Every structure is written in C-alpha cells, then in structure tokens.
Amino acid sequence: MIIALFAMALFLAFSNGANDNFKGFATSWGSATLSYRAALVLCTLATGAGGLASLYLADGLLVQFSGRGLVPDELAGSARFGLAVATGAGATVMLATRLGFPISTTHALVGALAGTGLASGSPVSWNALGGGFMLPLLVSPLLAAMAGLILFAIANRAARAKPRAVLAGTGSDIELPQGSQAFRDGFHILTGVAICFARAVNDTPKLAALTLGAGVVSVSGSILATTLTMVAGGWLLSRRVAETMSLKISEIAPAQGIAANLVTATLVLFASKAGLPVSTTHVSVGSIIGTGAAAGRLDLSTVSSVLMSWLLTLPCAALLAG
C-alpha cells in the first residue's frame, strides 16, 4: 500500500507537470516571441527552480493538502486515503492533458480529497472545503480576468498616446525600434519565467503532501522527488495543452501577453505566500481571456470548452477517488 501510494503520488506530479508546465510561456509561443522548443526549455527550468524553492516559500500548503482539517486526522494520515486521492486526481489530470484541456490540479486534488472523505463515511468539514479551498479557486480566475482586461485596456489607451512606444506587436502596422522590441520581448520572457516559478512554488507542496503520507521520505526528499517528476511530465507531455492555451483561446500579441503574464505571476505568488490554494491554470487562462476580451480576439467556442472542463474536474476527481 505504501509503495502504491508513493508511486501514484509521483504519477500525479507527472500529470501536473504535463498539464501545467507551459502555462507561463503560452503567451510567448502564441505571440511568436519564442519557438515552442525554446519556450519549453525555459518553462521547464523555471518549474524546477520553483519546485525546489517551495520548501522555503510555501510550507503552509504542505499541511493544507494533507487532508487534515478537511477529514479526521486518522483518515488523512492513512495510506489508503492518500492512495485514493492521488489516483483520482492523477487520472483526472492526465485525461484532461491527453484531451488538451488546461485544468486545475488543485481543483482535482480538492475533489479527490472530498470524494475520498465522503466514500469513507467519515465527516467532511464543509466549512474548511468552502472557505479554505473552494473560495480561492472560484475567485482567482475572475480576479485574473478583470485585472487582465483592465491592465490591457490601460496599455491600449497609453498606446494611442504614444503609438511608436507601445502599439507594435498589438495588431497595428507600426514597428518598434529594434532596441525597444528586444526589451519588450525580454520582459515578456521574464514574466513567463516568473509565472512558471510561481506555479511550481504553489503546486509542489500540494503534491509533496501526498508523498509524505507514504512515510518513506523526508520533507526535503518529498519536495525533490515531486519536483523531478513534475519536470519530467512537463518536458514530455506539454504540447497539447500548450496548443490550446497559446493558439486556440485567443490570438495573442506581445503586449497582450505581457499584461496577462504580469497578472498571473502577481496573483499566484501572492497566493503562495498567503497559503491560498489558487489554481495557476485558472489564473493564467483567466488573464488570457481578460486580455483577449479587451483586444476583441477571443475564440468563444474554445473558451466554453475550457470552462466546461473546469466544471467537470472536481466531480470527476471526486468520483474516481471515492
């Protein structure tokens, strides 16, 4: 049972890497700032660095995603509980990854925790589930979409006043001077690195909490194993989700991508430090939707499909884990 728990916890980390790895660089590839291969290398390196840094920056999430406080401690500490949670969440995330849907591993974990608790017949703390888990998950994409829309609208207004400095790359015919374009592209890439780093800081402790339940590794060993497995998943299976986020949700211009990335990195880093389990997926997709709406470039059919996958994530993970 312990071996199975450790293996399935790493499978969940692998699935998370595959689904989440590219999210910081979706706008860089979508706007042709970077090639897919270059973006993949950078996001994978940033994910690895963020995963290792989570040991110092997000230790509160280790406790929260062990299940303690949501279900009785005796159940949360059992190998069978952890095995069910890891299997249900991991299968849900991998299915979505193979279908090309950018879903939330956090959402899948919450569903799996609740579904396992209900199936065990143990009392589930609905107050903890609502306030500690669901509220941040529901509010964060709305905040990201609003912030992305507002930030890009402000940038557009500034662009009308100073067209040569801002408009290039946002759908106009005006070109930036070479030095300014290089600065813009460099800043765009930097924001992508920040998102991947922040995403790994926020996600790694949630996944490591399950490997800790196996009782075979220390906290630092759990973080290391989770990080390496997450990096492997991201390197090998990022492409389908990357295509959805980079090419299908919205046409992405560099200025739009920078605005979306700034919103995502800021919200995810703040949430990690505050111990709030937000979804980097929901935040990054929300910011792309917000900036895409401001630019008038959204593909509504893709957006509706992605939103439907979000609605199905929690009950699917809860059912499988239960």
Side-chain angles (χ1 to χ4, degrees):
M1 184 71 73
I2 291 175
I3 293 171
L5 168 56
F6 189 73
M8 292 311 298
L10 292 182
F11 169 68
L12 175 58
F14 184 89
S15 302
N16 169 268
N19 198 276
D20 280 16
N21 190 49
F22 208 82
K23 287 164 185 173
F25 280 85
T27 60
S28 296
W29 184 36
S31 62
T33 301
L34 288 174
S35 66
Y36 174 77
R37 178 63 61 174
L40 180 63
V41 170
L42 288 174
C43 67
T44 302
L45 291 174
T47 294
L52 296 177
S54 68
L55 187 61
Y56 307 99
L57 297 177
D59 54 319
L61 291 171
L62 271 170
V63 176
Q64 191 170 12
F65 277 83
S66 66
R68 288 178 169 82
L70 183 64
V71 298
D73 287 357
E74 182 180 356
L75 177 63
S78 69
R80 60 194 175 93
F81 177 82
L83 177 59
V85 170
T87 303
T92 301
V93 176
M94 183 54 72
L95 174 62
T97 300
R98 300 307 294 161
L99 294 174
F101 289 121
I103 68 165
S104 165
T105 302
T106 305
H107 218 167
L109 268 172
V110 171
L113 286 167
T116 307
L118 289 171
S120 72
S122 300
V124 175
S125 174
W126 298 109
N127 289 335
L129 181 65
F133 292 90
M134 294 306 300
L135 187 61
L137 287 172
L138 293 173
V139 171
S140 58
L142 297 177
L143 286 177
M146 291 172 57
L149 191 152
I150 292 170
L151 183 59
F152 189 65
I154 292 172
N156 268 347
R157 181 169 295 183
R160 295 189 186 99
K162 298 180 179 180
R164 286 191 61 79
V166 183
L167 266 181
T170 64
S172 73
D173 294 327
I174 300 172
E175 295 293 334
L176 280 174
Q178 186 173 0
S180 298
Q181 183 174 341
F183 175 81
R184 182 202 64 193
D185 291 347
F187 185 66
H188 192 179
I189 292 167
L190 184 62
T191 60
V193 169
I195 289 172
C196 289
F197 181 86
R199 193 279 297 182
V201 168
N202 194 270
D203 279 0
T204 303
K206 305 169 192 173
L207 306 172
L210 292 172
T211 60
L212 280 174
V216 296
V217 290
S218 62
V219 172
S220 57
S222 178
I223 291 287
L224 178 60
T226 299
T227 299
L228 291 176
T229 310
M230 190 167 60
V231 165
W235 180 258
L236 295 173
L237 292 178
S238 287
R239 181 84 187 203
R240 291 186 182 179
V241 172
E243 288 175 350
T244 299
M245 293 191 66
S246 301
L247 308 176
K248 296 180 180 179
I249 291 177
S250 170
E251 289 183 45
I252 301 174
Q256 178 188 342
I258 290 171
N261 283 6
L262 284 174
V263 169
T264 302
T266 301
L267 285 178
V268 174
L269 276 175
F270 172 79
S272 298
K273 189 58 181 173
L276 299 173
V278 303
S279 163
T280 307
T281 303
H282 290 182
V283 174
S284 60
V285 171
S287 63
I288 291 173
I289 290 173
T291 56
R297 301 189 181 110
L298 280 183
D299 183 327
L300 294 180
S301 63
T302 300
V303 171
S304 63
S305 296
V306 169
L307 294 179
M308 181 59 67
S309 73
W310 290 3
L311 290 176
L312 292 175
T313 297
L314 192 146
C316 181
L319 182 63
L320 290 173

